[in-house]
Amino acid sequence: MTGTIPAPAPVVGRTREGIAQRLAEDLQDGYVVNLGVGIPLLVPRFLPADKEVVLHAENGVLGIGAEAAPGQEDPDLTDAGKQPITLISGAAITDSALSFAIIRGGHLDCTILGALQVSASGDLANWYVPGKNPAVGGAMDLVAGTPQVWVAMEHVDRTGRPKIVPECTMPLTGKGVVTRVYTDLAVFHVVDGALRLVECAPGVTPEDVRANTTAPYTEHLAG
Amino acid sequence: MIDKFREDVLSVVDAVPSGASIAVGGFGSSGRPDALLDALCELDKRDLHVIVNNVGHDFTGVGRLLHEGRLRRVTASFPILQEFYDEYFAGRVELELIPQGTLAERLRAGGAGIPAFFTPSGAGTMLSDGSFTLRYAPDGGVAEHVPAKETRLINGREHVLEEGIVADFGFVKAHKGDRKGNLRFRLSARNFNPMAGMSGRTTFAEVEHLVEADELHPDDVHLPGVFVDDVVLSTGKAPAIDDPAAAPTRKAS
């Protein structure tokens, strides 16, 4: 009688908040940053008090402050997710063309985006699942113009399929645009068009990362 | 003497024929010219091509035009209303999907006399390579693709040729406006409004406050009256904050 081989237990790495917290450690004082939806929206709550990071929203807000308190919402002041916000001291408002001049012109330091897939050469797919509803927003402008494109995402999708893949099978947002990937299992950098594993999450081994990643990459782990 | 203020919004909007193209300001409901859009419905205008960032979360504004079957084509970056997608996949409305920064710049360029420009946004994607579906057939097949866009290597990088948009009409909402058509917006309600106003061959502005001459300091005018043909009063209450929790659920189609 042959027994079935038990499926390996899923690797447990960082939580969604943990991914955001790890990424926030790498933001530098003085950075101007645009945040996409999903895990990137968790990043502001983990910014250290000794760093000043200015947040930009594509609808023309440079210097987003805290969420508006209940009863204090202003319909004329919202973020890119159409949620009521406040402004920080020193904030500026622009129209949409100037907002995208800031984005496309390379005047942001970093954009943090969610992803459906990232390829071995840093291609990004994050706007369209074929057969579902297409909507692109500012994603293609952000990856075209921002020097650093950091992806914050779960390492595998809900069915366990790797999202860091040799080639994207989903429609691209941009080619060779991703510079870093932060997941629950690991941190990758893209250097000269190739993925480097630079860090495993606490409790996660390089073998765990290999087993959940179909893209080729090299290991550059500290220590 | 120049006085662009009109009491009757319906007589202003009646200049829009069915079949017209209209560039519409707003980002979600923030800064969206609902009085002008509602007038299109009251006047039973149809077969419209609307150029706007979002169709919306509900059946107000552009969402009302969609719900009442008045749209032939939408040029947008983030349409998002489920009923819009239902109509798109059924072949009853066309979608030209473009990156948001490209949308803003195409409207600005059209109003600025720039017929086309090269941008890196969308290079190497299906929004520039001719594979995106503009119109579905009633049987669910593809009736027509958005044509492939010309590309050029500039400084070793691929760029996409995008055309400026000159719309038949521009619909704008401003916080304050005077009888010369000078406009001032408020906070993030500015968004696409200056570009929609520039893009229109004829532009209508609805204002929350009609102010007297010289109340707007020349330094504080965001869109000069030279871009504006008629000024009407915005009606109704300020738009509610969009609530995604109350929005129709996105589903696979």
Side-chain angles (χ1 to χ4, degrees), chain A:
Chain A
M1 195 171 105
T2 46
T4 49
I5 300 166
V11 184
V12 177
R14 291 191 169 95
T15 60
R16 289 165 63 84
E17 286 76 10
I19 296 169
Q21 186 169 17
R22 173 63 194 85
L23 186 151
E25 290 173 15
D26 288 348
L27 290 170
Q28 292 178 25
D29 189 38
Y31 266 20
V32 183
V33 177
N34 187 293
L35 303 176
V37 296
I39 295 171
L41 287 180
L42 301 173
V43 169
R45 63 175 83 163
F46 297 108
L47 291 174
D50 61 345
K51 287 182 190 170
E52 183 177 358
V53 172
V54 177
L55 300 177
H56 175 258
E58 65 193 12
N59 57 325
V61 183
L62 195 55
I64 300 173
E67 195 177 325
Q72 302 296 307
E73 299 94 344
D74 184 339
D76 288 345
L77 187 56
T78 57
D79 64 14
K82 290 118 185 154
Q83 297 306 297
I85 55 169
T86 60
L87 299 175
I88 62 166
S89 171
I93 301 284
T94 69
D95 63 48
S96 296
L98 195 56
S99 178
F100 279 89
I102 291 169
I103 290 171
R104 209 190 302 98
H107 305 285
L108 300 177
D109 294 290
C110 184
T111 184
I112 304 168
L113 299 170
L116 296 162
Q117 290 177 326
V118 175
S119 83
S121 58
D123 297 348
L124 174 67
N126 82 341
W127 67 280
Y128 178 33
V129 178
K132 299 200 175 183
N133 296 340
V136 68
M140 290 186 183
D141 308 282
L142 282 161
V143 302
T146 313
Q148 301 190 65
V149 176
W150 295 358
V151 166
M153 67 175 189
E154 311 280 359
H155 203 93
V156 299
D157 71 15
R158 266 175 280 177
T159 63
R161 283 178 302 193
K163 296 169 69 173
I164 304 176
V165 294
E167 294 284 345
C168 293
T169 54
M170 304 274 192
L172 291 186
T173 309
K175 286 175 83 76
V177 295
V178 175
T179 57
R180 295 186 181 188
V181 184
Y182 296 81
T183 77
D184 44 328
L185 303 188
V187 179
F188 290 87
H189 292 180
V190 182
V191 180
D192 296 331
L195 277 175
R196 292 181 175 181
L197 174 65
V198 298
E199 189 180 312
C200 297
V204 175
T205 67
E207 292 71 30
D208 294 332
V209 176
R210 173 62 64 198
N212 287 282
T213 309
T214 53
Y217 59 84
T218 53
E219 292 186 5
H220 294 257
L221 297 163

Side-chain angles (χ1 to χ4, degrees), chain B residues 104-117:
Chain B
E105 197 64 18
R106 285 182 65 181
L107 292 168
R108 201 201 70 82
I114 306 288
F117 57 90

